[in-house]
Amino acid sequence: MKKRNVKVHFGNLILVIFVIGIFAYGGFYVYKNFLSDEENVGSNPVESNNKVDSKVNKKLKELGYSNSDIEIIEKNLSSDVIDKIEEKYDDLASFSSVKYFHIENIERYQTLSDSSSYEPEEVVMRVNTQIDRDFYTDVKIVEDPDDPFVLVNKYFEVPQDYEPSDLVSVGNGQKMRSEAAEHVNKLLKDINADGLYLQAQSGFRSIDLQTRLYNNYVSRDGVAEADTYSARPGSSEHHTGLAIDLSHDGTLEETFENTKQFEWLEKNAHKYGLILRYPKDKVYMTGYMYEPWHYRYVGVEVATLIKNEGITYEEYCVKYRGLY
């Protein structure tokens, strides 16, 4: 009997301990949540976000956007961006899905979309690169012409008094900025080692020299024709000291594309940080006729990316440098 009573008492003790443990844990859990609730009074992030979402949703509905469009717009754009929308744009949902969409251009996106059959991504790209406007329209002076990634074209010009401070010799007497010259000189040496000859022409050009060249072309062919192959003063890449013309015989002709030298450049130029600046299939984008001889230094990493994607430098600047 005594032995059996001990077992019963031990079992009861275990049960009591278990029950006490449950109540203790429950009390701790309630107390912990009470403290958390005290700390978060008036600052519930879910409730706060819902309020923002509700405000944004209400605004878009009032502007006339459908529920499906609102879902896409809210997914792609922050509330700060949506705050800038003041009217209904038929294709906003589609535009907002493009990675490099900028709300500042929404009017131009919609205008181009309405007057063309371009897909939303093409619309955004064309507007961000400015080519929805005529060339030399609303030209901007670049803020930092010394930037090695500076974009200079028919919408972005260098200051009229600009000249790079680190020009050095490249090839036989031309000049480029030091880093670009180092890579081009190595290219010339390496292609020569492969049994081919290239010469560097028209590296850096001053504004004065470009003015004389452009005016001569205009006198000969007229403004419209000259603009297809010559840059107006300030808008030439040669002003940057980062561009070079390459020739196998001293001439700059489209037939250069049929040479072994051009074939070699097609395979290897990016390894030296150079891109073919004015491709045959992107005249509408660059504004210049096809120039198989004109190369721009942008560094090996960027040149490789541009070659792999088959894009122009303008498109690179939109996709990867936030140009708009």
Side-chain angles (χ1 to χ4, degrees):
M1 292 294 292
K2 186 177 181 179
K3 193 173 184 179
R4 186 169 58 249
N5 286 338
V6 170
K7 285 183 179 180
V8 170
H9 292 162
F10 182 77
N12 289 340
L13 179 61
I14 294 298
L15 178 61
V16 169
I17 292 173
F18 178 76
V19 171
I20 291 172
I22 290 176
F23 276 103
Y25 178 80
F28 174 76
Y29 181 81
V30 170
Y31 178 70
K32 180 180 177 183
N33 282 331
F34 172 78
L35 290 180
S36 297
D37 289 341
E38 285 291 304
E39 292 173 354
N40 291 322
V41 168
S43 60
N44 189 318
V46 174
E47 181 182 351
S48 177
N49 286 337
N50 285 340
K51 287 181 179 178
V52 172
D53 291 344
S54 176
K55 179 182 176 183
V56 165
N57 191 286
K58 180 180 178 182
K59 175 182 179 177
L60 293 175
K61 282 185 176 179
E62 289 176 349
L63 290 174
Y65 288 95
S66 66
N67 289 334
S68 59
D69 280 352
I70 291 174
E71 183 178 352
I72 295 171
I73 294 168
E74 288 184 319
K75 176 183 177 182
N76 294 323
L77 304 180
S78 69
S79 58
D80 289 341
V81 172
I82 294 175
D83 278 343
K84 299 178 182 179
I85 301 170
E86 299 299 335
E87 62 183 273
K88 184 178 184 297
Y89 298 96
D90 293 340
D91 300 319
L92 177 60
S94 298
F95 297 146
S96 73
S97 299
V98 179
K99 179 181 177 181
Y100 32 90
F101 166 87
H102 286 275
I103 192 62
E104 292 81 358
N105 288 341
I106 183 60
E107 294 277 359
R108 291 164 59 199
Y109 295 149
Q110 192 62 64
T111 297
L112 181 58
S113 181
D114 289 342
S115 63
S116 71
S117 58
Y118 300 133
E119 293 296 319
E121 186 165 355
E122 180 70 10
V123 168
V124 173
M125 177 60 75
R126 284 176 176 261
V127 169
N128 287 13
T129 55
Q130 312 299 315
I131 64 170
D132 62 315
R133 298 168 167 166
D134 291 338
F135 293 123
Y136 295 115
T137 298
D138 192 25
V139 176
K140 298 177 177 63
I141 304 300
V142 297
E143 294 181 359
D144 183 10
D146 285 326
D147 180 357
F149 298 105
V150 65
L151 173 65
V152 175
N153 60 14
K154 295 183 177 184
Y155 302 103
F156 297 93
E157 296 182 353
V158 299
Q160 289 293 308
D161 60 350
Y162 175 69
E163 181 172 323
S165 60
D166 59 341
L167 294 172
V168 299
S169 294
V170 61
N172 297 319
Q174 297 300 316
K175 289 186 176 182
M176 295 184 75
R177 293 186 60 181
S178 57
E179 183 179 333
E182 179 182 350
H183 284 75
V184 172
N185 280 327
K186 187 174 189 313
L187 179 151
L188 295 174
K189 179 180 178 181
D190 289 351
I191 194 172
N192 189 55
D194 284 344
L196 299 171
Y197 171 74
L198 271 179
Q199 68 182 59
Q201 299 179 209
S202 296
F204 168 74
R205 288 185 201 152
S206 68
I207 298 290
D208 289 343
L209 175 56
Q210 187 66 30
T211 299
R212 293 195 298 273
L213 289 172
Y214 179 76
N215 287 343
N216 287 337
Y217 295 139
V218 169
S219 296
R220 187 185 70 189
D221 298 327
V223 172
E225 181 65 20
D227 279 344
T228 66
Y229 63 84
S230 180
R232 297 181 185 182
S235 64
S236 172
E237 274 209 328
H238 289 285
H239 298 322
T240 67
L242 298 169
I244 193 74
D245 292 340
L246 299 174
S247 170
H248 70 299
D249 63 358
T251 64
L252 301 176
E253 302 289 343
E254 190 172 320
T255 53
F256 178 61
E257 71 172 357
N258 300 320
T259 65
K260 291 183 178 180
Q261 284 87 341
F262 180 75
E263 182 180 351
W264 190 95
L265 288 170
E266 282 281 274
K267 294 178 180 178
N268 298 291
H270 65 285
K271 301 174 185 176
Y272 302 86
L274 296 175
I275 60 170
L276 178 64
R277 185 63 180 87
Y278 305 124
K280 182 182 292 187
D281 61 340
K282 293 296 179 76
V283 173
Y284 72 92
M285 178 71 67
T286 66
Y288 292 106
M289 57 178 274
Y290 172 44
E291 294 188 357
W293 61 83
H294 183 111
Y295 288 81
R296 158 72 189 265
Y297 178 77
V298 292
V300 175
E301 182 178 352
V302 174
T304 301
L305 184 152
I306 288 174
K307 176 179 174 57
N308 289 342
E309 292 196 15
I311 58 178
T312 63
Y313 193 55
E314 282 81 6
E315 291 167 300
Y316 165 79
C317 287
V318 167
K319 294 181 71 172
Y320 300 101
R321 290 180 62 81
L323 176 70
Y324 71 94

